Structures are given as structure tokens and as C-alpha cells.
Amino acid sequence: MDLYLTEQQTDNQRLSVRVTKTLHHEKTDFQDLVIVETPQWGRLLALDGFFQTNEVDEFVYHEMGAHVPLFTHPDPKRVLVVGGGDGGMVREVVKHPGVEHVDLVEIDGRVIETSKQYFPDIAVALTGNPKVHIHVADGIKWVAEHEAEYDVIIIDSSEPVGPGEGLFTPEFYANVFKALTGDGLMVAQTESPWSNAAVIKRAFGGISKSFPITRLYTCAVPTYPTGLWSFTLGSKKHDPVDADVAERFGDMKTRYYTPGMHFGALQLPRFIQQMTEEAAR
Ligand code: SAM
């Protein structure tokens, strides 16, 4: 009999992927963690039933989460990644030669350990890279305890339920603002414009309360609900639409992000543009 892993993406929609083997399943202190082998997407990680990452489409999310903010900041040296225990975001961050120090703050150490074991290509920068510093801690508390320390903060959170809930609040974004340097900027994954309009409005509204420049951009991730995903960027000074990408991009190895994608992703369909305008009011 065929075995499928199913994510209940919305109240009325599910995505099922055929599973050939369950590689790992445990209840951590924070969530239900499962790693399966699938013919369609390779190895796939799900937390509390939500698909987080897989070997086939992970590059889209990780490249767009890391390179849009890092190319927007003219000289990023110190970077914080909140969540992101699979390591994909950190792998992209360390492609920037000017980055000197990366803190990864993940609440669930088991996500880090199992990712190292089952997703070596995604977690590649989590072992033996002297620039990368791993902390098993709550990102909400971490951010509240740091001031003027980071040039770029990337919020690579799970869904706004469970341990990730507090990563979507205006109070959290205000603390992110304080933890950034004078010209720092942040980006947060903010879910799907089709199925999570309320999350986007809450996040965009919350970020624009603290940051003078707030921009939403999208990318296509086929295993995330509806396939269309969003990030929201908040910046003190540098606007991603004015970023000087082409020269610095050089021959960086990417599969989705290019200077053209940087600017293209910031062009919004009108219904999403309206969402951001309503949220900012
Ligand atoms: N790419 C993913 C997505 O959008 O589905 C997110 C990947 S990453 C695995 C999300 C991580 O955020 C999880 O490992 C989770 O444990 C972590 N996380 C959730 N709440 C957190 C918090 N308060 N502090 C630090 N990490 C947190």
C-alpha cells in the first residue's frame, strides 16, 4: 500500500507526498519532528505536520531569504538567523565574503542535529565554519537581549503557531529594530498571500510600525501552501529597490536568486500590493 505524508495546508486544502521510507520521527521538547524519503522531493522535514524543507525546492526559499537582504545592505558583517535550524539560510549567508560573524539561534536543538544527519547539503555550514556560531535558545529572548549588534537579521521561523508564534508580533519587530545597527535591516518569512493574508497583514503592519522602509517580496516554493511565498523586509536606511546588486553578485553560485530576480521579486501583483497598503495604514 502506498504511504503518503499529508500537510493540512488550509482548512480546505491538503498536500500529500508519497513516502518511500520514514527516516526519523520523534517528539522533541518543542514539536513533532519527522523526516521522510519521498520520490518527488527527496528527503523532507516536517514539524508539527508542516512541511519545512526538502532536498529539491529548498534552494528557492533559502536563497531568497538570504540574498535579498544581504545584497540590500551595502556591507553586511554581522548577521543573525533566528530559527533556521536546518542550516539552509546560514549556508547562503556565508556565501557573502564580507560576512564575518553569523549567529544562528534555533530553539530546538534536535532540528539542528537531525538536519546535520539527514540533510548534509542543506546543513553544510553548520559544521566546521569558524564564522558560524550556533546557539540553542529562544530567538525572542535573544533578540530582546541584544542591542545595535547586527547588520542583518533573518527570521527563518516556522508557522505562527507553537514556538514560532511570538516571532510575528510588533513587540518582537521593535526588539529586532533595537538589535540592529544604525543602518541595519531585517527580513522575515511571512507565509502565503493566498492562504495567509492575515499573517502577511499582521507582519507587514508590525514591521512598518518600527521600520521606515518596509517591502514585501515573493518567490515560488511548490511545497509551501499555494506555492507562492512571501518575505517582508524592514530597513532603517537601505531600500532593496535601490540595491547595488549586479557588481557584488559576481559569480556567486545560486540557482534561483539573480540580480534580475532581486528586483523582479519586489514587483507585486496588485492584490498583494493592496494587502501591504492596507497593512501599513
Ligand atoms: N523554511 C521553513 C518554513 O517556512 O517552513 C522554516 C524552517 S526552520 C526549520 C524554522 C525553525 O524555527 C524551526 O526549526 C523551529 O524550531 C524554529 N523556531 C520556532 N520558534 C522559534 C523561536 N522562538 N526561537 C528560535 N527558533 C524558533
Side-chain angles (χ1 to χ4, degrees):
M1 203 182 72
D2 281 347
L3 182 68
Y4 281 79
L5 183 68
T6 298
E7 175 178 335
Q8 183 83 41
Q9 295 191 326
T10 74
D11 288 347
N12 304 299
Q13 179 169 296
R14 294 174 180 164
L15 176 65
S16 292
V17 295
R18 192 158 72 79
V19 168
T20 44
K21 195 169 180 195
T22 300
L23 298 167
H24 188 85
H25 188 193
E26 70 173 287
K27 297 242 184 260
T28 73
D29 288 344
F30 297 93
Q31 50 213 343
D32 180 89
L33 184 162
V34 65
I35 298 169
V36 292
E37 187 76 57
T38 77
Q40 186 81 39
W41 301 106
R43 291 182 175 180
L44 180 147
L45 165 73
L47 295 174
D48 286 340
F50 296 111
F51 297 173
Q52 299 291 314
T53 199
N54 67 70
E55 291 177 316
V56 177
D57 74 8
E58 58 85 12
F59 68 94
V60 179
Y61 173 87
H62 292 132
E63 289 182 15
M64 291 303 278
H67 299 312
V68 175
L70 285 166
F71 278 116
T72 296
H73 193 288
D75 188 21
K77 288 190 164 60
R78 293 183 64 85
V79 179
L80 169 65
V81 177
V82 174
D86 52 66
M89 211 55 97
V90 172
R91 180 195 64 198
E92 297 305 314
V93 169
V94 297
K95 286 181 182 173
H96 290 255
V99 168
E100 294 168 356
H101 183 106
V102 187
D103 284 321
L104 173 78
V105 179
E106 160 64 59
I107 203 166
D108 192 341
R110 293 301 298 151
V111 176
I112 297 170
E113 292 315 315
T114 52
S115 295
K116 283 186 194 166
Q117 187 178 352
Y118 293 104
F119 297 96
D121 292 344
I122 299 177
V124 59
L126 299 187
T127 320
N129 187 319
K131 293 181 180 176
V132 177
H133 304 264
I134 299 174
H135 313 272
V136 177
D138 185 347
I140 299 169
K141 201 159 169 274
W142 183 278
V143 164
E145 287 167 355
H146 288 77
E147 218 173 305
E149 188 147 341
Y150 298 103
D151 300 309
V152 173
I153 296 180
I154 300 172
I155 319 297
D156 183 9
S157 67
S158 34
E159 284 54 31
V161 288
E165 198 172 355
L167 300 170
F168 288 80
T169 63
E171 298 72 41
F172 176 67
Y173 301 133
N175 284 334
V176 169
F177 187 93
K178 280 195 237 136
L180 286 164
T181 51
D183 68 344
L185 56 94
M186 63 152 287
V187 72
Q189 77 85 3
T190 46
E191 312 273 307
S192 163
W194 290 111
S195 56
N196 307 98
V199 173
I200 290 183
K201 283 188 192 163
R202 186 149 51 97
F204 195 96
I207 292 169
S208 63
K209 273 202 183 76
S210 290
F211 290 86
I213 299 165
T214 310
R215 299 268 182 199
L216 189 118
Y217 61 93
T218 62
C219 59
V221 185
T223 53
Y224 287 170
T226 79
L228 181 65
W229 212 243
S230 75
F231 288 94
T232 304
L233 186 148
S235 178
K236 295 190 182 186
K237 186 169 169 202
H238 307 291
D239 192 329
V241 300
D242 299 325
D244 179 19
V245 187
E247 207 169 300
R248 276 167 63 203
F249 183 67
D251 61 356
M252 185 182 282
K253 300 278 171 287
T254 56
R255 295 170 67 201
Y256 191 91
Y257 181 91
T258 62
M261 284 307 299
H262 177 107
F263 298 107
L266 288 153
Q267 295 297 322
L268 298 178
R270 185 168 269 183
F271 80 100
I272 303 177
Q273 182 68 43
Q274 282 169 347
M275 245 176 238
T276 64
E277 285 162 9
E278 280 166 30
R281 264 184 224 134

